[in-house]
Amino acid sequence: MASGVSTRKERIWRRQAENTGGENHSVSDRALWVLIGLLRFVVQPVAQLRIALVHCRNTGRFLSTTEFHLRQRAYRGDSSATLDVFVSGTPINKYILSMLSAREHVIRSDRLWRILNRLKRRYPKHPIWADLTHTGWMQGPVWENPGPQLVLTEGMHERGAALRRELGIPEGARHVCINARDADHRDSPDNVLDPTDYWATDDFRNCDIANYMKAAEYLAEEGYWVVRMGFHSPRVRLPKKRHFQILDYASDIRPGLADPEFADMYLPATARFFLGCTSGLYLYASIFGVPIAYANMVPFLECGRTNNDVFIWKKCFDQNSGRYLEYADAIEAGMDSDWLSVEELQAYKRRGLEIHENSAEEILDLTRETLMRIDDKWQQGLEENQLREDFERVFPRHGSHEHTYRGNMCTAFLRQHRRLFAKPVSDLLVSETPN
């Protein structure tokens, strides 16, 4: 699907980035804008000059929009017709930026980034700006077909081998990364959440790491090392009585590392798969082609970028009926997008609707199916095909949606909650509204 289709979250970000008219622009700002215009004019006979202003301080946006821009360019085959100059401030992960610098023109300067950001807010529609608004959702083959664009270097692999030895992971052993978003999670270290704010206590994306432990123990028994990822020291540590191959990187290891940014990137990038949630941390794996097992996904659009991904949704409990809401009704209530507003969440609460996270058993089933698919042991029979048809009636793939929604809903989840998928939805996603 062309990038002319945006998700709800991407449209919100685009509106937020546009100038409200209240910013002052200095003489140096205006002089730089004139200089950019001259450079564009000089380069025009050879290539189209574009400035790609990197979302360097937000994990999810930094990883997804940068990687998608590279994949889209590779998919279209238009790299020779454009000259993209990436401008970044201090990045949330310097190793991702170094891989970008190895293949692209990159300028790292906090001051220049701030000036250009002001200019972009003033002139958001100018063709000088490369489009770094799309995260890769709903882009189907544009994301999947080109494959990963950033490449780990030999030096990174050597350093990664030393890191694994430091963590006690034997040479040749495989590892899986896990992550459950909690109330302290921030996609950007610059964000300080007000403890009285709605999102401090009622973020619909949060989930409990305890429900991931059955899956972690299963993986450890299967011979995998399991690494719990995270940028901050979480309030809930992993239980002391656990398999010795389950490592609490976020609580016990990361705080003592001299350079945690490398481990933040390398461990997911080389994992067998990543068992995660809505947190953008999984993108450290996804952009390198590592399969993702998505648990606790809500809203329902953010599920599966490739056909190797497997996912399960959170469930919507109706206090009035004492039953879980059928997914068709939840979708009609607006949960088919990739974002929910405070107003929508408060409206759900007034209706008596609660968003419930996945159980330990559901996440274990998700993990088992993901492993079977990765190991080419998954067999899909008549029942599985029927369950898949049930799902596609709720989340249709017809029309323009045919090539956009990748990934596989976990079969055991479909079987266990078949009633929730009984009612069909005939319309395409609300979130597929063009720009």
Side-chain angles (χ1 to χ4, degrees):
M1 176 171 291
S3 62
V5 173
S6 297
T7 70
R8 182 181 185 186
K9 187 186 296 182
E10 290 165 356
R11 294 195 296 274
I12 291 172
W13 287 341
R14 190 177 295 114
R15 288 194 297 269
Q16 289 174 343
E18 293 181 358
N19 186 27
T20 60
E23 280 188 299
N24 294 319
H25 294 270
S26 66
V27 174
S28 60
D29 287 8
R30 292 192 290 270
L32 178 60
W33 185 245
V34 172
L35 178 59
I36 290 172
L38 291 174
L39 288 173
R40 183 169 179 266
F41 176 78
V42 171
V43 174
Q44 190 67 41
V46 180
Q48 179 188 0
L49 176 64
R50 300 188 302 189
I51 298 174
L53 204 57
V54 178
H55 300 287
C56 54
R57 300 299 294 168
N58 181 287
T59 303
R61 294 183 71 182
F62 176 38
L63 300 175
S64 61
T65 60
T66 304
E67 177 69 11
F68 177 71
H69 179 74
L70 299 176
R71 293 192 185 204
Q72 182 184 55
R73 208 174 58 187
Y75 183 81
R76 291 177 172 175
D78 62 356
S79 58
S80 61
T82 59
L83 175 59
D84 288 344
V85 178
F86 291 79
V87 179
S88 172
T90 301
I92 199 165
N93 191 286
K94 57 181 174 288
Y95 297 98
I96 296 295
L97 192 66
S98 72
M99 284 182 271
L100 181 65
S101 301
R103 54 164 289 164
E104 303 290 334
H105 303 284
V106 176
I107 300 173
R108 176 176 167 176
S109 167
D110 289 325
R111 184 170 184 269
L112 179 60
W113 189 94
R114 287 193 297 269
I115 294 174
L116 289 173
N117 190 46
R118 289 197 298 268
L119 290 170
K120 188 167 187 263
R121 290 171 65 87
R122 184 180 180 91
Y123 309 107
K125 305 296 185 182
H126 197 281
I128 191 66
W129 308 116
D131 184 6
L132 262 68
T133 60
H134 293 286
T135 62
W137 291 120
M138 297 176 62
Q139 301 298 332
V142 184
W143 174 273
E144 187 167 19
N145 291 0
Q149 300 296 295
L150 300 180
V151 179
L152 297 166
T153 66
E154 183 177 342
M156 288 177 179
H157 283 302
E158 291 175 356
R159 184 174 175 185
L163 170 66
R164 283 166 53 90
R165 288 193 296 270
E166 183 180 350
L167 299 185
I169 303 176
E171 184 177 357
R174 290 178 168 176
H175 71 275
V176 172
C177 292
I178 67 173
N179 171 251
R181 180 190 181 107
D182 63 16
D184 292 322
H185 174 83
R186 301 290 175 271
D187 264 355
S188 172
D190 303 328
N191 292 342
V192 179
L193 191 62
D194 182 347
T196 64
D197 186 84
Y198 181 90
W199 298 108
T201 55
D202 293 292
D203 196 321
F204 64 91
R205 297 165 293 181
N206 293 342
C207 45
D208 190 350
I209 189 63
N211 287 334
Y212 287 66
M213 289 307 297
K214 274 193 176 182
E217 293 285 349
Y218 168 77
L219 288 167
E221 291 294 337
E222 291 291 309
Y224 288 90
W225 287 73
V226 182
V227 186
R228 183 219 192 158
M229 302 303 296
F231 289 158
H232 61 278
S233 295
R235 300 179 191 180
V236 179
R237 304 170 71 93
L238 297 188
K240 292 183 179 180
K241 291 184 178 181
R242 64 179 189 268
H243 198 290
F244 73 95
Q245 289 178 202
I246 301 175
L247 308 178
D248 197 345
Y249 168 84
S251 299
D252 303 331
I253 299 170
R254 191 180 194 275
L257 294 178
D259 184 12
E261 286 184 27
F262 178 78
D264 291 342
M265 175 277 300
Y266 189 81
L267 291 171
T270 56
R272 183 64 168 156
F273 70 93
F274 193 108
L275 173 58
C277 57
T278 60
S279 165
L281 289 182
Y282 78 84
L283 283 158
Y284 279 108
S286 184
I287 66 172
F288 292 102
V290 174
I292 310 298
Y294 300 88
N296 291 303
M297 298 306 288
V298 68
F300 307 138
L301 180 61
E302 293 200 35
C303 301
R305 290 171 178 264
T306 77
N307 288 324
N308 291 324
D309 299 336
V310 190
F311 59 90
I312 52 179
W313 290 339
K314 284 189 175 183
K315 302 183 291 294
C316 190
F317 184 74
D318 185 352
Q319 293 177 310
N320 299 307
S321 66
R323 306 177 76 189
Y324 282 112
L325 203 65
E326 291 183 64
Y327 280 115
D329 294 328
I331 287 171
E332 290 175 4
M335 291 190 187
D336 67 334
S337 67
D338 60 345
W339 184 250
L340 294 173
S341 68
V342 172
E343 293 75 19
E344 287 171 315
L345 292 167
Q346 291 173 335
Y348 294 152
K349 185 174 291 188
R350 288 193 297 271
R351 287 178 55 186
L353 301 180
E354 298 176 344
I355 297 175
H356 286 187
E357 62 184 281
N358 296 128
S359 68
E361 289 73 20
E362 290 169 343
I363 297 174
L364 175 59
D365 287 335
L366 168 68
T367 300
R368 285 173 171 158
E369 181 170 331
T370 301
L371 267 185
M372 292 179 70
R373 288 182 178 275
I374 291 174
D375 293 335
D376 292 326
K377 295 179 180 178
W378 178 255
Q379 295 183 353
Q380 189 158 310
L382 292 176
E383 184 195 15
E384 287 77 13
N385 289 333
Q386 182 59 56
L387 291 170
R388 200 70 48 192
E389 290 178 10
D390 291 345
F391 170 72
E392 291 179 9
R393 284 200 302 270
V394 173
F395 223 65
R397 293 171 181 248
H398 59 77
S400 62
H401 194 213
E402 179 181 1
H403 300 295
T404 62
Y405 197 83
R406 300 300 170 110
N408 301 280
M409 171 66 82
C410 176
T411 303
F413 188 84
L414 286 169
R415 183 182 297 114
Q416 180 184 357
H417 301 293
R418 195 161 192 167
R419 180 188 70 81
L420 305 186
F421 294 92
K423 182 178 179 180
V425 170
S426 58
D427 295 329
L428 292 176
L429 298 178
V430 174
S431 301
E432 286 192 283
T433 306
N435 292 340

